[in-house]
Each structure stands twice: as C-alpha cells, then as structure tokens.
Amino acid sequence: EDQVTQSPEALRLQEGESSSLNCSYTVSGLRGLFWYRQDPGKGPEFLFTLYSAGEEKEKERLKATLTKKESFLHITAPKPEDSATYLCAVHALVFGKGTRLSVIA
Amino acid sequence: NAGVTQTPKFQVLKTGQSMTLQCAQDMNHEYMSWYRQDPGMGLRLIHYSVGAGITDQGEVPNGYNVSRSTTEDFPLRLLSAAPSQTSVYFCASSYGMSAGNTIYFGEGSWLTVV
C-alpha cells in the first residue's frame, strides 16, 4: 500500500529563517512525487513534480529535492506570503496530511 | 480559462437528504477525481475517472456515486447524506494518471450534514 508521511505537522518561522519540510514515502515504483501549496479556503495549487532520485526543482524561494525514500521542500529566506499548508503526494493520488507553515514578520 | 469549476461552494443538508456536487473542467482532461479533506486526515480519494464512461473507486467510496457521461463533467452524488460526510470536497482533473500530468484542483465545496 502506498503511503506518504509529512513532517512536521506545523512549522512556525521568522521571516528570513530558512528551513525544510519532509515528505517520506513508501510506494511500489514511483511514478511522480508532487508538491502542492494550499491556502486557507482554497484548493491545492501545483508546485513541483519530481520523478527520480537526485532530481531538484526550484521556484522562487522554494526548492524540492528527491531521494529514494523521501523528498524535501527547502524554503530559503521565507516571507509571510509563503504561509500556507504544503502537501506532498505520490502518483498524484495518495496525499500526505500536509505541513502547516506560518512565517512571522 | 475557468479551469476546474465546482458548485455549490457551500451546502447544508439534513441527514438522509440526497444531493449532487457538480464539477466541470474546460481543459479537455481525460482524468478527473473527487477528494474529501478532513482535519487531520489530509486529502482522500473518493472516486476517479480515466475517461468518459469509465469510473473507479478510490480510498473512501462508500456513500458516494459518480458517473462520467462527458469529458467535461464529473458529478459526485450523495445518496443519503450522513453527518460523517460533513467535509470539504475537491474535484480535480489532469491529462492522465501517469507521471508528469499535473493535477488541477477546483476551489472546493463545503458540505455540512446536520
């Protein structure tokens, strides 16, 4: 059974304080690891797809990396507008419970 | 571009009532799906469809029906609403289920069953 576990559940950062979110997964043959951002009262918004170990993708202050067992979403010098829940999913079907990020000015 | 459109945005039902959540996409996507999102549970797949006329069950299908008569529309039916179906429902679509196909989500439908 495919499983996705995200940690931490919640993360509070000061503006400019870099950190990483973790997504551990167990699947029988990875066909895509997806990262989404979800704002309160909104649907998830696509950020990245990673396919193979060693792959990295960047978008503004966010960088996603992938190993054979986990993915990290690195946030560099975050701003308050980065506050959201970040979701990861495998095969775009099985989602983790998310990490709720709060960035304080 | 409208993307994925869900209606209604908010709905209150009485236990035992039936209703349909509507979902439409204008991107000519073959794959459509319905999720529910509950506090502490994350997104859970209810039903999905890989094309018109084809549907399948996801992780939590009980109490819900779907049909796919056209590429554009994928309605979710609650046959006899129960308080346990109080949740936020998201419809999503993509070109397909294989890797590389980004899933686009609707804005959500908030359902309360009393």
Side-chain angles (χ1 to χ4, degrees):
Chain A
E1 181 183 342
D2 298 342
Q3 288 189 333
V4 176
T5 303
Q6 291 188 247
S7 62
E9 290 186 11
L11 181 63
R12 186 181 173 99
L13 299 174
Q14 293 293 321
E15 184 172 5
E17 179 187 1
S18 300
S19 187
S20 297
L21 313 182
N22 177 265
C23 172
S24 299
Y25 64 90
T26 304
V27 296
S28 53
L30 182 66
R31 288 175 279 120
L33 185 294
F34 296 76
W35 282 99
Y36 289 83
R37 169 188 171 130
Q38 186 175 23
D39 293 302
K42 300 288 187 181
E45 178 184 349
F46 171 77
L47 291 173
F48 305 108
T49 309
L50 303 167
Y51 304 114
S52 58
E55 188 174 1
E56 298 182 355
K57 289 193 176 175
E58 290 189 60
K59 180 180 180 179
E60 296 181 357
R61 295 176 292 281
L62 301 176
K63 182 170 78 172
T65 62
L66 183 66
T67 72
K68 289 185 178 180
K69 294 184 178 181
E70 57 193 349
S71 177
F72 293 94
L73 185 65
H74 306 277
I75 303 175
T76 302
K79 298 182 177 182
E81 53 261 41
D82 294 321
S83 297
T85 296
Y86 292 86
L87 303 169
C88 97
V90 293
H91 307 165
L93 291 177
V94 181
F95 282 78
K97 295 180 181 180
T99 293
R100 191 171 62 255
L101 174 67
S102 300
V103 181
I104 311 303
Chain B
N1 284 338
V4 179
T5 303
Q6 291 182 233
T7 56
K9 181 86 170 177
F10 301 98
Q11 182 72 49
V12 178
L13 283 179
K14 293 183 179 179
T15 297
Q17 284 186 318
S18 62
M19 78 156 298
T20 300
L21 299 178
Q22 301 291 344
C23 177
Q25 52 90 10
D26 61 358
M27 297 174 281
N28 201 31
H29 286 169
E30 290 297 321
Y31 176 80
M32 296 186 74
S33 55
W34 276 101
Y35 296 84
R36 60 178 289 173
Q37 189 174 37
D38 303 291
M41 299 296 292
L43 281 160
R44 292 183 292 170
L45 183 65
I46 304 172
H47 285 285
Y48 65 95
S49 169
V50 298
I54 306 169
T55 64
D56 207 346
Q57 296 181 350
E59 180 185 355
V60 288
N62 292 341
Y64 307 96
N65 271 1
V66 293
S67 61
R68 186 92 179 271
S69 57
T70 67
T71 299
E72 295 78 19
D73 301 300
F74 191 45
L76 178 72
R77 298 183 189 85
L78 282 71
L79 304 175
S80 179
S84 61
Q85 294 179 303
T86 294
S87 187
V88 183
Y89 292 86
F90 289 100
C91 179
S93 75
S94 73
Y95 283 110
M97 290 180 67
S98 62
N101 290 305
T102 302
I103 287 191
Y104 298 87
F105 285 85
E107 291 287 281
S109 295
W110 273 252
L111 176 66
T112 301
V113 182
V114 298

